[in-house]
Amino acid sequence: MTSLLPPSTARSSTSVGHDLAHRRPLVLVATLGGAAAALGPLLVCLALGVVGWFLTDAGAHGSSGDGLRVGAWAWLLGHGSGIRVEGVPVTAVPLGLTLVSAWTVWRLGLRVGDSVSGHGPDADRIADGERDWTVPVAAGLLAAGYVVVAVVTCVLATDTGSGVATGRVVGWSLLLCLGLGAPAVAVGSGRAAIWAAVVPPVLRLALPACRLVLLGWLAVAAAAFLVALVLDLGTAANVLSQLHTDAGAATLLVLVSLLVVPNAVAFSGSYLLGPGFTVGAGTLVSPTAVVLGPLPMFPLLAALPDAGPPPAWTAYLAVLPALVAAVAVARHHRLVPADGWGEAVARGLAAGVLAGIAFGLLAGLAGGAVGPGRMRDVGPFELDVALHAITAFGVGGLVGALATTWWQRRSAVAD
């Protein structure tokens, strides 16, 4: 039928249809998007809680409601709630669950942004200075939907002595939604590309390099952790045998271990940076000294180095952070060369410093209390880790940027 209409009318109909696809009800879409971002991982945790209840003595103890409550606690732990297990506070955050929630918030934020991108002024009117409240309103509503689900979960999962901290859950939920959901809405709606034009070029180019530095360091830390675990895999298997667990309980223990692998990677990165971490009060695990005491029966602890003076080669680990940063920044500068020495210095330093700050924050989130007594102090020395990371990554980023700029200028002169 559109072929029978005048050309201008056909184009108008197509434009309207396309616009309607991106002008869905903002309040409804954003609020439901936030609720869906929370409910997705929550439902998975609830299902796993019921499965875990059934695997433990075939569900002979307790009821399916207890399994649902444990699943809800797991989701809340991933949002920093902390709980009490037989009166013992557990405040450590399983970062695996947090990462799943963060990924869900990002994906739903992109979809919300695309669905409401037709609201508000267009790019030309925004460039002329007209205010656009589409992203702030959508991000706020997305956060509201997420927080409502979180608060309801806290109310339903709380019982006598559980110790669920609703305030912390709300804080972490807002951090996820505003720190990841809002940028995702901006990217999905196309506003991020418009706003990027007003960001200083040095900072705009330093952010991708910062991402490369951080991802490179996490990859190195993960590789170091996996190598250490594989080299002492017999100890991890021995832990499982000493616990005398059946197949169901062993499966749950493996699942819990997988959820805290990101924490282990943060611990590994803190070790490689120098300050190290603790696995209990009065302990230290670092390249210069390893002081351990009695440890809980947990398979991932098999990756810990032996107590006592470390081998002499661990002293050379000090150059690894700067080397990773230099390679990552050099790789980015090869793709996007700097216009001059000043820009190279600024971009290299900014990328390294921002990556150091980001890893310091991650190290701060990785620790917490995991049991009574000495196990109340487990985690990296976050302040020292952040200072070491900022210094090492900053120096490495500077060296990588200058070396790449020198090579590119030398190659240009030779040509």
Coordinates of all heavy atoms in Angstrom, one line a residue, residues 359-415:
F359 N 41.5 -0.3 40.4 CA 41.8 -1.6 41.0 C 41.9 -1.4 42.5 O 41.5 -2.4 43.2 CB 43.2 -2.1 40.5 CG 43.5 -3.4 41.0 CD1 43.0 -4.5 40.5 CD2 44.4 -3.6 42.1 CE1 43.3 -5.8 41.0 CE2 44.7 -4.8 42.6 CZ 44.1 -6.0 42.0
G360 N 42.2 -0.3 43.0 CA 42.2 0.0 44.5 C 40.8 -0.2 45.0 O 40.6 -0.8 46.1
L361 N 39.8 0.3 44.3 CA 38.4 0.2 44.7 C 38.0 -1.3 44.7 O 37.3 -1.7 45.6 CB 37.5 1.0 43.8 CG 37.6 2.6 43.9 CD1 36.8 3.2 42.8 CD2 37.3 3.1 45.2
L362 N 38.4 -2.0 43.6 CA 38.1 -3.4 43.6 C 38.7 -4.2 44.7 O 38.0 -5.0 45.3 CB 38.6 -4.0 42.2 CG 38.4 -5.5 42.0 CD1 36.9 -5.8 42.0 CD2 39.0 -6.0 40.7
A363 N 39.9 -3.9 45.1 CA 40.6 -4.5 46.2 C 39.8 -4.2 47.5 O 39.7 -5.1 48.4 CB 42.0 -4.1 46.3
G364 N 39.3 -3.0 47.6 CA 38.5 -2.6 48.8 C 37.2 -3.4 49.0 O 36.8 -3.7 50.1
L365 N 36.7 -3.8 47.8 CA 35.4 -4.5 47.8 C 35.6 -6.0 48.0 O 34.6 -6.8 48.4 CB 34.6 -4.3 46.5 CG 34.2 -2.9 46.2 CD1 33.6 -2.9 44.8 CD2 33.3 -2.4 47.3
A366 N 36.8 -6.5 47.9 CA 37.1 -8.0 47.8 C 37.1 -8.6 49.2 O 37.0 -9.8 49.3 CB 38.3 -8.3 47.0
G367 N 37.4 -7.8 50.2 CA 37.6 -8.4 51.6 C 36.4 -8.3 52.5 O 35.3 -7.8 52.1
G368 N 36.6 -8.7 53.7 CA 35.5 -8.6 54.7 C 35.6 -9.8 55.7 O 36.5 -10.7 55.5
A369 N 34.7 -9.8 56.6 CA 34.7 -10.9 57.6 C 34.0 -12.1 57.0 O 33.0 -12.1 56.3 CB 33.9 -10.5 58.8
V370 N 34.7 -13.3 57.2 CA 34.1 -14.5 56.6 C 33.9 -15.6 57.8 O 33.6 -16.7 57.5 CB 35.1 -15.2 55.6 CG1 35.2 -14.2 54.4 CG2 36.5 -15.5 56.2
G371 N 34.0 -15.2 59.0 CA 33.8 -16.1 60.1 C 34.2 -15.4 61.4 O 34.5 -14.2 61.5
P372 N 34.2 -16.2 62.5 CA 34.4 -15.6 63.8 C 35.9 -15.5 64.1 O 36.8 -16.0 63.3 CB 33.8 -16.7 64.8 CG 34.0 -18.0 64.0 CD 33.8 -17.6 62.6
G373 N 36.3 -14.8 65.2 CA 37.7 -14.7 65.6 C 38.6 -14.1 64.6 O 38.3 -13.0 64.0
R374 N 39.7 -14.8 64.3 CA 40.7 -14.2 63.4 C 40.2 -14.1 62.0 O 40.7 -13.3 61.2 CB 41.9 -15.1 63.4 CG 41.7 -16.5 63.0 CD 42.8 -17.4 63.3 NE 44.1 -17.0 62.8 CZ 44.6 -17.3 61.6 NH1 43.9 -18.1 60.8 NH2 45.7 -16.9 61.2
M375 N 39.1 -14.8 61.6 CA 38.6 -14.7 60.2 C 37.8 -13.5 60.0 O 37.2 -13.3 58.9 CB 37.8 -16.0 59.9 CG 38.7 -17.2 60.0 SD 40.3 -17.1 59.2 CE 39.8 -16.9 57.4
R376 N 37.7 -12.6 61.0 CA 37.0 -11.3 60.8 C 37.9 -10.4 59.9 O 37.4 -9.3 59.5 CB 36.7 -10.6 62.1 CG 35.7 -11.4 63.0 CD 35.5 -10.7 64.3 NE 34.6 -11.4 65.2 CZ 33.3 -11.2 65.3 NH1 32.8 -10.2 64.5 NH2 32.5 -11.9 66.1
D377 N 39.1 -10.7 59.7 CA 40.0 -9.8 59.0 C 40.6 -10.5 57.8 O 41.6 -11.2 57.9 CB 41.1 -9.3 59.9 CG 42.1 -8.3 59.2 OD1 41.7 -7.8 58.1 OD2 43.2 -8.0 59.8
V378 N 39.9 -10.5 56.7 CA 40.4 -11.2 55.5 C 40.2 -10.2 54.3 O 39.2 -9.6 54.1 CB 39.5 -12.4 55.2 CG1 39.9 -13.0 53.8 CG2 39.6 -13.4 56.3
G379 N 41.3 -10.0 53.6 CA 41.2 -9.1 52.4 C 42.5 -8.4 52.2 O 43.5 -8.4 53.0
P380 N 42.6 -7.7 51.0 CA 43.8 -6.9 50.7 C 43.9 -5.7 51.5 O 43.0 -5.2 52.2 CB 43.5 -6.5 49.2 CG 42.5 -7.4 48.7 CD 41.6 -7.7 49.9
F381 N 45.2 -5.1 51.6 CA 45.4 -3.8 52.2 C 45.0 -2.8 51.2 O 45.9 -2.3 50.5 CB 46.8 -3.7 52.7 CG 47.3 -4.8 53.7 CD1 48.0 -5.9 53.3 CD2 46.9 -4.7 55.0 CE1 48.4 -6.9 54.2 CE2 47.3 -5.7 55.9 CZ 48.0 -6.8 55.5
E382 N 43.8 -2.4 51.2 CA 43.2 -1.6 50.0 C 43.9 -0.3 49.8 O 44.2 0.1 48.7 CB 41.7 -1.4 50.2 CG 41.3 -0.7 51.4 CD 40.9 -1.7 52.5 OE1 41.4 -2.9 52.5 OE2 40.2 -1.3 53.4
L383 N 44.3 0.4 50.9 CA 44.9 1.7 50.7 C 46.3 1.6 50.1 O 46.7 2.3 49.1 CB 44.9 2.5 52.0 CG 45.6 3.9 51.9 CD1 44.8 4.8 51.0 CD2 45.6 4.6 53.3
D384 N 47.1 0.7 50.7 CA 48.4 0.4 50.2 C 48.4 -0.1 48.7 O 49.2 0.3 47.9 CB 49.2 -0.6 51.1 CG 49.5 0.0 52.4 OD1 49.6 1.3 52.5 OD2 49.7 -0.8 53.4
V385 N 47.4 -1.0 48.5 CA 47.2 -1.5 47.1 C 46.9 -0.4 46.1 O 47.5 -0.3 45.0 CB 46.1 -2.6 47.1 CG1 45.8 -2.9 45.6 CG2 46.6 -3.8 47.8
A386 N 46.0 0.5 46.5 CA 45.7 1.6 45.6 C 46.9 2.5 45.3 O 47.1 2.9 44.2 CB 44.5 2.4 46.2
L387 N 47.7 2.8 46.4 CA 48.8 3.7 46.2 C 49.9 3.0 45.3 O 50.5 3.6 44.4 CB 49.5 4.0 47.5 CG 48.6 4.9 48.4 CD1 49.3 5.1 49.8 CD2 48.4 6.3 47.8
H388 N 50.1 1.7 45.5 CA 51.1 1.0 44.7 C 50.6 0.9 43.2 O 51.3 1.0 42.3 CB 51.3 -0.4 45.2 CG 52.3 -0.5 46.3 ND1 52.0 0.0 47.6 CD2 53.6 -1.0 46.4 CE1 53.1 -0.2 48.4 NE2 54.0 -0.8 47.7
A389 N 49.3 0.7 43.1 CA 48.7 0.5 41.7 C 48.8 1.9 41.0 O 49.2 1.9 39.8 CB 47.3 0.1 41.8
I390 N 48.4 3.0 41.7 CA 48.5 4.3 41.0 C 49.9 4.6 40.6 O 50.2 5.1 39.5 CB 48.0 5.4 42.0 CG1 46.4 5.2 42.1 CG2 48.3 6.8 41.4 CD1 45.9 6.1 43.2
T391 N 50.9 4.3 41.5 CA 52.3 4.6 41.1 C 52.8 3.7 40.0 O 53.3 4.2 39.0 CB 53.2 4.4 42.4 OG1 52.7 5.3 43.4 CG2 54.6 4.8 42.1
A392 N 52.6 2.4 40.1 CA 53.1 1.5 39.1 C 52.4 1.7 37.8 O 53.1 1.7 36.7 CB 53.0 0.1 39.6
F393 N 51.1 1.7 37.8 CA 50.4 1.9 36.5 C 50.7 3.3 35.9 O 50.8 3.4 34.7 CB 48.9 1.7 36.7 CG 48.5 0.3 37.1 CD1 47.3 0.1 37.7 CD2 49.4 -0.7 36.9 CE1 46.9 -1.2 38.0 CE2 49.0 -2.0 37.3 CZ 47.8 -2.2 37.8
G394 N 50.8 4.3 36.7 CA 51.1 5.6 36.2 C 52.5 5.7 35.6 O 52.6 6.2 34.4
V395 N 53.5 5.1 36.2 CA 54.8 5.1 35.6 C 54.8 4.3 34.3 O 55.4 4.6 33.3 CB 55.8 4.6 36.6 CG1 57.2 4.3 36.0 CG2 56.0 5.5 37.8
G396 N 54.2 3.1 34.4 CA 54.1 2.2 33.2 C 53.4 2.9 32.1 O 53.8 2.8 30.9
G397 N 52.3 3.5 32.4 CA 51.5 4.2 31.3 C 52.4 5.4 30.7 O 52.3 5.6 29.5
L398 N 53.1 6.1 31.5 CA 53.9 7.2 31.0 C 55.0 6.6 30.1 O 55.3 7.1 29.0 CB 54.5 7.9 32.2 CG 55.5 9.0 31.9 CD1 54.9 10.1 31.0 CD2 56.1 9.6 33.1
V399 N 55.7 5.6 30.6 CA 56.8 5.0 29.7 C 56.2 4.4 28.4 O 56.8 4.6 27.4 CB 57.5 3.9 30.6 CG1 58.5 3.1 29.7 CG2 58.2 4.5 31.7
G400 N 55.1 3.7 28.5 CA 54.5 3.2 27.3 C 54.1 4.3 26.3 O 54.3 4.1 25.1
A401 N 53.5 5.4 26.8 CA 53.1 6.4 25.9 C 54.3 7.1 25.3 O 54.3 7.4 24.0 CB 52.3 7.4 26.7
L402 N 55.3 7.4 26.1 CA 56.5 8.1 25.5 C 57.3 7.2 24.5 O 57.7 7.7 23.5 CB 57.4 8.5 26.7 CG 56.9 9.6 27.6 CD1 57.9 9.9 28.7 CD2 56.7 10.9 26.8
A403 N 57.4 5.9 24.9 CA 58.2 5.0 24.0 C 57.4 4.9 22.7 O 58.1 4.9 21.6 CB 58.3 3.7 24.7
T404 N 56.1 4.7 22.7 CA 55.4 4.6 21.4 C 55.4 5.9 20.6 O 55.6 5.8 19.4 CB 53.9 4.2 21.8 OG1 53.9 3.1 22.6 CG2 53.2 3.9 20.5
T405 N 55.3 7.0 21.3 CA 55.4 8.3 20.5 C 56.8 8.5 19.9 O 56.9 8.9 18.7 CB 55.1 9.5 21.5 OG1 53.8 9.3 22.0 CG2 55.1 10.8 20.7
W406 N 57.8 8.1 20.6 CA 59.2 8.2 20.1 C 59.3 7.3 18.9 O 59.9 7.7 17.9 CB 60.2 7.9 21.2 CG 61.6 7.7 20.6 CD1 62.5 8.7 20.4 CD2 62.2 6.5 20.2 NE1 63.6 8.2 19.9 CE2 63.5 6.9 19.8 CE3 61.9 5.2 20.2 CZ2 64.4 5.9 19.3 CZ3 62.8 4.2 19.8 CH2 64.0 4.6 19.3
W407 N 58.8 6.1 19.0 CA 59.0 5.2 17.9 C 58.2 5.6 16.6 O 58.7 5.5 15.5 CB 58.5 3.8 18.3 CG 58.5 2.8 17.2 CD1 57.5 2.3 16.4 CD2 59.7 2.1 16.7 NE1 57.9 1.4 15.5 CE2 59.3 1.2 15.7 CE3 61.0 2.1 17.1 CZ2 60.1 0.4 15.0 CZ3 61.9 1.3 16.4 CH2 61.5 0.4 15.4
Q408 N 57.0 6.2 16.9 CA 56.2 6.6 15.7 C 56.8 7.8 15.1 O 56.8 7.9 13.8 CB 54.8 7.0 16.2 CG 53.9 5.8 16.6 CD 52.6 6.1 17.3 OE1 52.5 7.2 17.9 NE2 51.7 5.2 17.3
R409 N 57.4 8.7 15.9 CA 58.1 9.9 15.3 C 59.3 9.5 14.5 O 59.6 10.0 13.5 CB 58.4 10.9 16.4 CG 57.2 11.7 16.9 CD 57.5 12.6 18.1 NE 56.4 13.4 18.4 CZ 56.2 14.7 18.0 NH1 57.2 15.2 17.3 NH2 55.2 15.4 18.3
R410 N 60.0 8.5 15.1 CA 61.3 8.0 14.4 C 60.9 7.3 13.1 O 61.6 7.5 12.1 CB 62.0 7.0 15.4 CG 63.3 6.5 14.8 CD 63.9 5.6 15.9 NE 65.1 5.0 15.4 CZ 65.2 3.8 14.7 NH1 64.1 3.2 14.4 NH2 66.4 3.4 14.3
S411 N 59.8 6.6 13.1 CA 59.4 5.9 11.9 C 59.0 6.9 10.8 O 59.2 6.7 9.6 CB 58.3 4.9 12.2 OG 58.7 3.9 13.1
A412 N 58.3 8.0 11.3 CA 57.8 9.0 10.3 C 59.0 9.7 9.7 O 59.0 10.0 8.5 CB 56.9 10.0 11.1
V413 N 60.0 10.0 10.5 CA 61.2 10.7 9.9 C 62.0 9.8 9.0 O 62.4 10.2 7.9 CB 62.2 11.1 11.1 CG1 63.5 11.6 10.6 CG2 61.5 12.2 11.9
A414 N 62.0 8.5 9.3 CA 62.7 7.5 8.4 C 62.0 7.4 7.1 O 62.6 7.2 6.0 CB 62.8 6.2 9.1
D415 N 60.6 7.5 7.1 CA 59.9 7.4 5.9 C 60.0 8.7 5.0 O 59.9 8.6 3.8 CB 58.4 7.2 6.2 CG 58.2 5.8 6.8 OD1 59.0 4.9 6.6 OD2 57.1 5.6 7.5

